[in-house]
Amino acid sequence: MKWIVITLPDFIEDESTYINQLFKAGIDLLHLRKPESNIEECKQLIQEIDEKWHKKIVVHDHFELCQEFHLHGIHLNRRNHEIPEGFQGSISQSCHSFKEVEQALQTISPKNKDEKSAILKPACHYVFLSPIFDSISKKGYKHSFSNKDLEEAGINGIINERVVALGGVTPEYIPQLRAWNFGGAAFLGDIWNRRTDANWAKYLTGIKKKLASGNAQNTLNSSNIW
């Protein structure tokens, strides 16, 4: 399973140091999400991150930084939903329903032979589906799907290797996410809340091991109440 970490919305002290540590621990991608930032603030943070990790950074804002720093890609969201003309990098998107997942991952063909493919929205390489569990970073933001709904979506292939779980994700939930057929897990609140813990390195190592291998286990026992 893919391991993705999303930054906190506000800038924090020593943020680039923590990000470098996350990459060293083995995260696959870092999503740089700073909704209230200006481009210079984001540029400064990227410059402070070891250059060898730039190819694993995805931006949610200021898409022009992707080309300037040779980043991995862009993430479409409600603030920024237009793909820059001629963009060739990775494209991902936030989804909050199974229908949105299906629409984001499907390949869109021209309606007629004269239609230019450049104006068509390409299929996303992967998407976030949220909230899967009760959010840690957004208090009161509850999960949107029942266990039964997620089980069926996994069986039907709606949830697949290109769908990443977001919302309240902790290491303990990884076997459950694998049982639902998710291709990855996106960490936010849990991972940043622990950044000053003495055992943070051990905690990160544990996540990497759980994502790399392990059994799928539906701990919710087909409950439709959850």
Side-chain angles (χ1 to χ4, degrees), residues 10-27:
D10 299 318
F11 293 94
I12 59 173
E13 187 176 357
D14 299 322
E15 187 160 12
S16 61
T17 299
Y18 290 119
I19 290 172
N20 284 327
Q21 291 174 2
L22 288 169
F23 279 122
K24 289 178 181 177
I27 69 171

Side-chain angles (χ1 to χ4, degrees), residues 42-219:
C42 286
K43 184 181 293 188
Q44 179 64 35
L45 178 57
I46 293 171
Q47 289 172 332
E48 293 174 358
I49 298 169
D50 194 321
E51 188 175 353
K52 67 182 178 182
W53 306 126
H54 286 183
K55 62 185 178 181
K56 294 188 174 186
I57 296 175
V58 175
V59 287
H60 286 223
D61 304 275
H62 314 302
F63 289 166
E64 57 265 45
L65 293 174
C66 193
Q67 182 174 356
E68 181 176 351
F69 290 97
H70 307 290
L71 307 180
H72 182 77
I74 60 174
H75 185 84
L76 305 178
N77 51 75
R78 290 169 182 170
R79 299 185 310 280
N80 304 290
H81 55 272
E82 295 292 335
I83 302 169
E85 184 176 354
F87 182 76
Q88 297 297 315
S90 173
I91 299 170
S92 56
Q93 179 177 319
S94 297
C95 297
H96 302 91
S97 70
F98 297 137
K99 182 178 181 180
E100 287 183 351
V101 169
E102 292 180 296
Q103 291 175 338
L105 294 180
Q106 70 181 353
T107 301
I108 302 175
S109 302
K111 295 179 181 178
N112 58 66
K113 294 181 180 180
D114 297 326
E115 189 171 13
K116 294 181 179 179
S117 60
I119 67 173
L120 295 177
K121 176 185 172 183
C124 290
H125 295 83
Y126 62 96
V127 298
F128 289 161
L129 179 62
S130 70
I132 301 304
F133 304 105
D134 294 351
S135 176
I136 297 170
S137 60
K138 298 178 181 179
K139 299 301 180 184
Y141 192 42
K142 301 295 185 180
H143 64 271
S144 294
F145 311 94
S146 71
N147 176 38
K148 183 179 179 181
D149 290 340
L150 293 165
E151 279 186 328
E152 291 178 352
I155 292 170
N156 294 329
I158 297 173
I159 297 177
N160 54 51
E161 70 278 358
R162 296 167 65 194
V163 182
V164 177
L166 171 64
V169 175
T170 67
E172 293 74 21
Y173 285 136
I174 290 173
Q176 179 66 70
L177 295 177
R178 185 176 281 111
W180 286 329
N181 206 35
F182 279 100
F187 284 74
L188 203 172
D190 191 63
I191 213 163
W192 290 107
N193 287 348
R194 296 173 182 265
R195 66 185 185 276
T196 58
D197 291 356
N199 64 345
W200 199 52
K202 182 179 180 181
Y203 160 80
L204 296 177
T205 300
I207 295 175
K208 182 64 176 177
K209 289 181 178 179
K210 284 190 174 184
L211 288 169
S213 62
N215 295 326
Q217 183 179 3
N218 192 330
T219 60

